[in-house]
Amino acid sequence: MKRYTWRTGVLEAVMIVTALIFAFPVYILFVQAFRPADDTGASPLVPPARPTLDNFAQAWNQASLGPAIVNSALVTVGSIALLVVLSALAAYPIARSTRTWSRVTFALFMLGLLVPFQLALIPLYQTMRDLGLLGDPLSLVIYYTGVQMPFSVFLYTGFLRGLDRGYEEAAMMDGAGPLRSFFSVVLPLLRPITGTVIILNVIFVWNDFLTPLLYLSGSGEQTIPVALFGFVGQYVSQWPLVFAGLIIGSIPVLAVYFAMQKRVIQGFAGGLKG
């Protein structure tokens, strides 16, 4: 049995302080979400004397969070579906081939991680305008698929390089072609890293504010961050409604994360090992 030393005590103290630092924004979030609208003079650190659920109802109705959640869900599901299929298909030949073109292609994808996406904002906006996609959530699906492809290919390639080829070779010996071998044998083995790709991209797409603000501006289509932005004004901001809306909007993402957290950890471990 290990003895309790001063190093253990210091480590526990550091962990407790770190946990409190990360928990503090969550505490502020809930305190403000349950604060009545007329309780504006109290310190934001002090819990409200009369907690209320009215902020959630007002945020839902005034910001039209129902349609906004539907739009966010459609954009997120469409983007993630394309990302998973296209990134896995692109990473498979890159990871399995040892030729020069494979290394060059992988380097080009990694270059996409280095180039700031802000550089392409204006050209992409003009392209979407010329295609008549401004105000259409489809423009967001196309944008997110392209922007997140390099990161997703990087994760899939690292995982595939550490994956045994014996299963694919056995399938090919039985007469399966490359595509049949990929979809029937390889893709099921990619479930851990696919969970990682899904949850990380869901968080990015669901929480993005700038792109929907640009591409959906002037239309009736809104995502959750843009819908909540209506509560923030130049002179008056309805912070209790903003925080209540943030809690409502975070519930779907938290549900997806807790449902897939085991695969996320497995995917990271596999990708780092590869």
Side-chain angles (χ1 to χ4, degrees):
M1 185 175 179
K2 295 184 178 180
R3 296 176 57 187
Y4 189 89
T5 64
W6 66 270
R7 290 187 177 88
T8 306
V10 172
L11 180 60
E12 289 182 352
V14 171
M15 294 176 63
I16 292 173
V17 171
T18 303
L20 291 175
I21 292 175
F22 279 94
F24 180 73
V26 179
Y27 167 77
I28 296 297
L29 175 67
F30 280 91
V31 166
Q32 296 302 316
F34 289 95
R35 187 179 300 280
D38 56 356
D39 189 11
T40 57
S43 170
L45 301 179
V46 179
R50 296 175 291 103
T52 179
L53 294 174
D54 291 342
N55 295 330
F56 293 89
Q58 293 183 37
W60 180 272
N61 295 324
Q62 295 183 25
S64 300
L65 286 183
I69 290 176
V70 172
N71 288 331
S72 293
L74 291 175
V75 170
T76 303
V77 171
S79 303
I80 300 307
L82 287 175
L83 276 171
V84 168
V85 175
L86 296 179
S87 300
L89 284 172
Y92 181 57
I94 292 175
R96 289 295 183 250
S97 177
T98 57
R99 297 181 180 179
T100 303
W101 69 263
S102 173
R103 295 191 295 270
V104 172
T105 304
F106 184 70
L108 290 176
F109 273 111
M110 294 307 96
L111 185 63
L113 293 174
L114 301 177
V115 177
F117 74 92
Q118 291 88 347
L119 294 178
L121 278 179
I122 295 178
L124 284 176
Y125 182 88
Q126 293 174 340
T127 301
M128 295 298 179
R129 180 197 60 195
D130 296 339
L131 293 174
L133 293 177
L134 290 182
D136 190 335
L138 179 60
S139 62
L140 298 180
V141 174
I142 297 173
Y143 174 85
Y144 291 132
T145 302
V147 167
Q148 292 301 101
M149 271 282 289
F151 178 64
S152 302
V153 169
F154 169 74
L155 293 178
Y156 272 119
T157 302
F159 191 88
L160 280 165
R161 284 173 176 170
L163 201 63
D164 187 10
R165 301 190 182 192
Y167 301 103
E168 309 158 47
E169 294 173 353
M172 292 181 180
M173 290 178 63
D174 290 338
L179 284 178
R180 177 68 180 275
S181 175
F182 173 79
F183 284 105
S184 300
V185 178
V186 178
L187 194 58
L189 297 175
L190 296 179
R191 283 181 295 181
I193 193 62
T194 297
T196 304
V197 171
I198 289 175
I199 191 62
L200 293 180
N201 285 302
V202 163
I203 293 174
F204 173 81
V205 174
W206 190 270
N207 293 327
D208 186 34
F209 169 75
L210 178 60
T211 309
L213 181 65
L214 290 176
Y215 288 178
L216 302 182
S217 179
S219 68
E221 308 289 343
Q222 289 183 332
T223 58
I224 294 175
V226 178
L228 294 178
F229 183 65
F231 293 130
V232 180
Q234 182 177 1
Y235 301 105
V236 178
S237 298
Q238 298 171 286
W239 293 115
L241 301 186
V242 172
F243 287 110
L246 288 175
I247 292 177
I248 296 174
S250 64
I251 291 176
V253 176
L254 291 175
V256 172
Y257 174 77
F258 285 122
M260 306 184 67
Q261 61 178 335
K262 183 178 180 180
R263 291 182 179 177
V264 171
I265 297 173
Q266 292 175 348
F268 268 127
L272 292 175
K273 182 179 178 180

